[in-house]
Amino acid sequence: MDKFSYVATDANGKTVRGSEIAEDYKDLQAKLRERKLYVTSYRNLGGGVADVKYKFKTKEVSFISRQLASMTSAGLSLVRALHILQDQQENKKAKAVLLDIYEEVQKGKAFSDVLHTKPGVFPDMFVSMVAAGEASGTLDQMLTRLSDHYANANKTANKAKSAMVYPIILLVLLLAVIVLLFTAVLPQFGSMMAEEDMTPLSKALMAFSDSLINQWYVYVIVIVAIIVALAMLLKTPATRLRMDELLLKIPKVGALVATIYTGSFARNMSNLYGAGLQMVECIEKSISVVGNSYVKKRFEDVVNDIKLGESMSKAIEKTGIFEGMFTSIIYVGEESGTLDVILGKAAEYYEEEADAAITKLVGMMEPLMIIIMGIAIGLFLAGMFPMLYGSMTNIS
């Protein structure tokens, strides 16, 4: 297939310019005729459709879901809605992906089948719910639910980023103060006192100051090496599993992280189960979004227990990851046959708790960095005052 640029006229005689992917000129004419456009001139740009890899961000997925839901609910066909969507896209890579999807759907393929051929472009939950919507004839409703879900997810992510601004500023300020004190201020006092008369702390601080000035590249290399080593270790499944487990067992911090996981799991379960997917598939997809390898491993046992006939609430309770109130909520939903509704209400509650948990986690970082800054300045003063006092004694 090639790409064509064209000039056409609509039913009112208005000139329309654009581009389209088509097999040949006849195919181009047929496609434009469906949109009541009549070709007056065209040019074959060649090149076909590039296989562009692009991963849509949460905000983009929410926008795409909302646009498709609005257009299909208004009576437009999915093919027409996809064409409008790709035509309005400004990002070239995203446009290429959407154009490719549009072309495949226009050929008669199911939207979900096309999405399955592009792993990683859209989230798994998006693909699963689109498939469920097509199977049940409620695609517009599913797209609306997806839009709400990803809008909330984007809102939570933005809150977390906003909350991290102040701690990051404190961290940068801390590093700047330490570097300034030990490279610009402390050396001025070192010349005021003989080295043999300095206290052990003053000698140690002067040695650190000299190394920071003359061998600064060593510190850069060490820091980069530590970061690279940690990144490589975290890619090792065993190390990542252990780190994720420790995260949940840190006093106070672990409980807050578990609350964030609960909100994410509840919302995903509510959407997927409400879409009509099987329980096991819902759990597997919901827990994969959490992004904790330890939780994912524990939920392998949950899936196995459910396959053996155990209730979801009992199986989840055994993991000890989520609090008892959440498992009780699941039990009520199972008994009443309204699990998707109950999970939806639980998700609203735990999402609010997750927002508060993020604020608390960030709040814990602020006093920690202030304490570190205080210790650094305190050590500096403790090493500087003997030198200052010694120089004043010598002058006297």
Side-chain angles (χ1 to χ4, degrees), residues 13-248:
K14 183 180 178 182
T15 301
V16 178
R17 300 174 186 271
S19 60
E20 186 69 69
I21 303 298
E23 296 277 358
D24 50 30
Y25 174 61
K26 288 184 178 180
D27 187 31
L28 175 66
Q29 278 186 313
K31 288 181 178 181
L32 294 179
R33 198 174 293 119
E34 289 178 2
R35 290 152 48 193
K36 296 184 178 179
L37 295 175
Y38 304 93
V39 181
T40 55
S41 64
Y42 74 97
R43 187 159 62 94
N44 189 339
L45 302 176
V49 183
D51 184 20
V52 180
K53 299 296 182 184
Y54 182 80
K55 183 178 181 180
F56 286 97
K57 299 175 183 177
T58 304
K59 183 179 180 180
E60 292 174 315
V61 176
S62 174
F63 174 77
I64 288 171
S65 302
R66 179 68 68 187
Q67 291 292 91
L68 289 176
S70 300
M71 288 187 282
T72 52
S73 298
L76 271 69
S77 67
L78 180 61
V79 172
R80 179 62 177 151
L82 286 170
H83 181 273
I84 294 172
L85 189 66
Q86 65 84 23
D87 194 48
Q88 293 177 342
Q89 182 61 245
E90 295 180 358
N91 185 299
K92 290 183 178 179
K93 289 185 177 180
K95 185 182 182 68
V97 172
L98 291 173
L99 182 60
D100 194 19
I101 292 172
Y102 157 69
E103 289 294 330
E104 293 296 316
V105 174
Q106 192 180 46
K107 291 177 183 177
K109 293 183 180 179
F111 186 26
S112 56
D113 290 341
V114 177
L115 295 179
H116 276 298
T117 64
K118 302 181 181 300
V121 174
F122 285 94
D124 288 343
M125 191 175 113
F126 181 89
V127 179
S128 297
M129 289 188 66
V130 166
E134 286 184 316
S136 61
T138 57
L139 181 59
D140 55 338
Q141 296 175 25
M142 292 301 172
L143 287 169
T144 301
R145 293 181 71 170
L146 282 168
S147 175
D148 293 338
H149 169 78
Y150 286 110
N152 289 331
N154 184 59
K155 184 179 177 182
T156 302
N158 286 338
K159 282 184 179 179
K161 290 176 183 177
S162 298
M164 285 298 295
V165 171
Y166 181 58
I168 290 173
I169 291 173
L170 276 181
L171 179 61
V172 172
L173 181 62
L174 169 62
L175 294 175
V177 167
I178 291 174
V179 171
L180 180 65
L181 289 177
F182 285 94
T183 59
V185 180
L186 191 61
Q188 301 297 325
F189 291 93
S191 58
M192 295 180 178
M193 190 177 188
E195 185 176 349
E196 59 270 13
D197 296 330
M198 292 183 184
T199 63
L201 178 61
S202 297
K203 289 180 180 179
L205 292 178
M206 283 304 301
F208 174 66
S209 176
D210 290 338
S211 66
L212 199 60
I213 293 171
N214 300 314
Q215 285 90 36
W216 57 268
Y217 53 87
V218 175
Y219 290 95
V220 174
I221 293 171
V222 170
I223 292 170
V224 171
I226 291 172
I227 293 173
V228 171
L230 285 174
M232 292 178 66
L233 279 172
L234 288 175
K235 288 182 179 179
T236 306
T239 306
R240 184 60 185 265
L241 182 67
R242 184 60 178 162
M243 293 295 291
D244 286 344
E245 182 181 0
L246 288 173
L247 178 64
L248 288 168

